[in-house]
Amino acid sequence: MLFRKQSSFDERDLGSVIAACRLGNTRAQQVLFKQFFGYAKSICLRYTSSTEEAEDVLSESFLKVFQRLDQYDGVHPFRAWLRSILINTALSYYRKYHKLDTEAGLDPNMTIPFNDDVIERLTAEEILDLVQKLPPVQRAVFSLHVVDGYTLHEVAEMMEMNEVTVRSHFYRSRLRLQQAIRVAYPHFFSTDPSIPIRYYEN
């Protein structure tokens, strides 16, 4: 036979789609990609500084997904398995193409005042835009810890850093976000002039 017979599947049944993808069904792969495209790209954007970089990470991640589907056990949620591939691919991307600053310059035990009520007034797109402007290592640490829920100890292992350094970068990221929010949305702080704007270069 010149052409490989495509296995049948039900687009409404994720298990059926994954099974067909494992058999090399290209249409099933397209369906899986389409179903998780928005979710996957939102994660890639959190860990990259541009749409172009996010698309590179997204493409590489789905290539790994299709290559490693036999490793997915089907017991745990597919979305969680996909997320781990996306995050690890993004971290590998930065190790390959960017120099991650691993130096620490803040006291890891210091307390950083941060108005979480202000964060809640921002849209997801506004927050993402600010997070994307963080330096690569701070963006990664903040996203891993705050958005994806990893402990700082786990973040240190994932980024191959010591935990003290990771804590320092996390606090730096909060300081820079606080500064960025106060500059971009000063009206949020109009009733609280007692908190000065402080600028941080690192």
Side-chain angles (χ1 to χ4, degrees), residues 1 5-7 11 13 31 33 51 53 69 71 83 101 107 133 138-139 163 166 169 176 188 192 198:
M1 293 180 62
K5 184 179 179 180
Q6 294 285 304
S7 55
E11 292 188 13
D13 180 0
V31 169
F33 179 81
T51 301
E53 289 186 348
L69 269 178
Q71 299 175 17
R83 185 187 71 163
D101 173 21
D107 179 355
K133 294 176 181 177
Q138 293 177 24
R139 178 171 60 243
E163 191 171 340
V166 167
H169 281 302
R176 292 180 72 98
F188 286 172
D192 188 13
R198 299 177 62 188

Side-chain angles (χ1 to χ4, degrees), residues 145-168:
H145 183 52
V146 176
V147 183
D148 290 304
Y150 292 98
T151 66
L152 290 176
H153 178 72
E154 291 171 329
V155 173
E157 291 184 338
M158 295 172 71
M159 300 193 67
E160 301 177 359
M161 298 180 184
N162 66 67
E163 191 171 340
V164 171
T165 300
V166 167
R167 287 183 180 278
S168 178

Side-chain angles (χ1 to χ4, degrees), residues 16 19 39 97 124 165 188 197-198:
S16 173
Y39 171 73
Y97 294 106
T165 300
F188 286 172
I197 298 178
R198 299 177 62 188

Side-chain angles (χ1 to χ4, degrees), residues 3-202:
F3 299 99
R4 182 177 182 179
K5 184 179 179 180
Q6 294 285 304
S7 55
S8 60
F9 62 94
D10 182 353
E11 292 188 13
R12 298 168 295 180
D13 180 0
L14 179 59
S16 173
V17 174
I18 291 176
C21 287
R22 284 172 171 160
L23 294 175
N25 188 315
T26 55
R27 193 167 70 84
Q29 292 174 346
Q30 292 171 356
V31 169
L32 189 70
F33 179 81
K34 182 177 179 181
Q35 288 182 353
F36 289 93
F37 173 80
Y39 171 73
K41 188 168 184 179
S42 68
I43 292 177
C44 293
L45 285 169
R46 287 206 305 269
Y47 288 91
T48 55
S49 56
S50 69
T51 301
E52 291 74 19
E53 289 186 348
E55 291 175 349
D56 287 344
V57 173
L58 182 67
S59 298
E60 186 176 345
S61 295
F62 269 97
L63 179 61
K64 291 179 180 178
V65 166
F66 295 132
Q67 292 174 337
R68 302 175 183 178
L69 269 178
D70 286 340
Q71 299 175 17
Y72 172 58
D73 58 17
V75 176
H76 299 91
F78 177 78
R79 185 179 291 249
W81 184 76
L82 171 61
R83 185 187 71 163
S84 67
I85 290 180
L86 292 163
I87 292 174
N88 287 326
T89 300
L91 294 178
S92 296
Y93 181 92
Y94 270 95
R95 291 190 190 100
K96 184 176 181 180
Y97 294 106
H98 297 271
K99 181 181 182 297
L100 291 179
D101 173 21
T102 59
E103 296 181 359
L106 296 178
D107 179 355
N109 297 312
M110 71 184 295
T111 300
I112 303 299
F114 199 78
N115 191 340
D116 291 321
D117 291 337
V118 172
I119 288 289
E120 294 176 359
R121 296 171 64 181
L122 299 177
T123 66
E125 291 75 15
E126 289 169 335
I127 295 173
L128 175 60
D129 181 62
L130 294 174
V131 171
Q132 280 187 306
K133 294 176 181 177
L134 291 172
V137 67
Q138 293 177 24
R139 178 171 60 243
V141 169
F142 184 87
S143 296
L144 285 167
H145 183 52
V146 176
V147 183
D148 290 304
Y150 292 98
T151 66
L152 290 176
H153 178 72
E154 291 171 329
V155 173
E157 291 184 338
M158 295 172 71
M159 300 193 67
E160 301 177 359
M161 298 180 184
N162 66 67
E163 191 171 340
V164 171
T165 300
V166 167
R167 287 183 180 278
S168 178
H169 281 302
F170 173 61
Y171 291 134
R172 286 187 182 189
S173 71
R174 286 174 64 89
L175 285 169
R176 292 180 72 98
L177 281 176
Q178 179 174 260
Q179 171 190 327
I181 292 172
R182 290 180 64 84
V183 170
Y185 307 98
H187 54 286
F188 286 172
F189 299 86
S190 59
T191 59
D192 188 13
S194 62
I195 302 178
I197 298 178
R198 299 177 62 188
Y199 295 91
Y200 297 87
E201 298 300 329
N202 298 311

